Amino acid sequence: MGRAGRQCLHANLPRIKANYAPDIFIANGENLAGGYGITEKLFKELISDYGVDVVTTGNHWHDQPETKNFYRSTSQLLVPANMYNVSELQAGYCVALTKTKVPYAVINLTGRLFMKGNNRCPFEYLDKILANIPSGIKVRVVDFHGEATSEKQALAHYAAGRVSLIYGTHTHCPTADERIIAGKTGYLTDVGMTGAYDSVIGVEVALSLQSFLSPVRPRFKPAEGDPWLCAVLATIDTATGYCTAIERIKWTD
Ligand SMILES: [Fe+2]
């Protein structure tokens, strides 16, 4: 989220590579541009300078008007396939090869509970997308962008055995419930935010308080203090597509 999140990620890239050297590196970028969406410049920075393979988004994907002009031109930027203002199924998933030529798919969906807009059913859209992914692609990762823990856990059980990893984003609060469902599918209700935690979900405290205490909602600004990096690391058996280990990452230093 915002500059604090970008700087925190950048500062920790050597540690991520040294500790984990991930074969697939996915980042949710929907709050990169001052908390509001993602610009083409910031997207390219994530891909080219940070080594991110796929950028997912969520309800803020369209906050920067330019995003609507470039998101279709790349398969590395996903928008939630079932969101009310997304019409192409293909915009919500991609298939690619890792550097060692392992095929994988990444899927981006959004929830409906406590989310603005008339989003379509994430369960139905998961099925639709999985039907389009060749059976030979065993490694499948889902970013489920939603507010409600119940909806996230329900979709995870629905997806169990059919995807390798499903994790939540959007709340900006990391949860501590990482597990492997049915011995096959890695799961974490929310990865949390990479950004400033001296804040209210990444927003400057005074501005957030104002939005609760006064009838006029101010424009939010991302906070800067106490940056944390939050992430999830999954180890996936490339032959079966099953998750064999899952680790929650929270670096506060
Ligand atoms: Fe969000």
Side-chain angles (χ1 to χ4, degrees):
M1 168 132 181
R3 185 169 45 201
R6 299 196 306 270
Q7 287 175 346
C8 181
L9 178 59
H10 189 261
N12 281 287
L13 284 174
R15 189 172 168 191
I16 292 171
K17 285 175 187 159
N19 287 13
Y20 303 120
D23 295 306
I24 309 168
F25 188 9
I26 303 167
N28 188 301
E30 75 146 3
N31 302 118
L32 270 192
Y36 292 95
I38 183 167
T39 61
E40 189 165 15
K41 179 174 175 288
L42 291 173
F43 164 70
K44 286 182 172 165
E45 203 173 284
L46 278 186
I47 300 291
S48 306
D49 301 348
Y50 291 46
V52 171
D53 296 301
V54 179
V55 178
T56 53
T57 59
N59 55 303
H60 285 287
W61 79 266
H62 56 274
D63 284 358
Q64 302 292 328
E66 66 179 74
T67 311
K68 286 185 176 150
N69 299 327
F70 78 88
Y71 81 93
R72 288 188 192 85
S73 67
T74 171
S75 61
Q76 288 172 289
L77 179 64
L78 302 183
V79 297
N82 62 321
M83 196 161 148
Y84 67 89
N85 59 0
V86 173
S87 52
E88 321 88 335
L89 193 68
Q90 287 75 10
Y93 73 97
C94 66
V95 294
L97 291 174
T98 66
K99 290 171 207 74
T100 54
K101 306 292 179 212
V102 176
Y104 69 94
V106 181
I107 299 168
N108 197 182
L109 295 167
T110 187
R112 291 194 290 187
L113 282 182
F114 314 117
M115 301 295 283
K116 285 183 188 157
N118 196 16
N119 295 333
R120 299 179 296 273
C121 176
F123 298 83
E124 183 188 330
Y125 272 72
L126 177 72
D127 287 342
K128 278 187 186 185
I129 291 173
L130 290 180
N132 280 3
I133 294 175
S135 58
I137 300 179
K138 303 291 185 192
V139 178
R140 300 158 173 208
V141 180
V142 181
D143 176 341
F144 185 34
H145 195 79
E147 184 73 30
T149 50
S150 58
E151 192 178 25
K152 290 172 176 175
Q153 293 189 6
L155 190 73
H157 284 281
Y158 188 71
R162 298 191 289 158
V163 306
S164 312
L165 170 70
I166 175 167
Y167 58 83
T169 54
H170 176 68
T171 69
H172 297 203
C173 296
T175 60
D177 61 336
E178 71 275 17
R179 57 191 182 273
I180 299 175
I181 297 176
K184 295 176 178 173
T185 297
Y187 174 68
L188 177 65
T189 295
D190 205 292
V191 169
M193 168 182 70
T194 291
Y197 277 75
D198 183 12
S199 70
V200 176
I201 63 168
V203 171
E204 278 189 4
V205 171
L207 293 172
S208 177
L209 282 178
Q210 205 181 322
S211 77
F212 285 103
L213 297 174
S214 107
V216 183
R217 183 183 154 128
R219 184 169 172 85
F220 287 156
K221 264 184 20 193
E224 297 281 336
D226 196 18
W228 301 1
L229 183 141
C230 288
V232 63
L233 176 80
T235 306
I236 295 165
D237 182 328
T238 56
T240 61
Y242 298 153
C243 181
T244 56
I246 184 162
E247 179 185 340
R248 171 170 41 93
I249 295 166
K250 187 180 98 177
W251 291 341
T252 62
D253 55 346

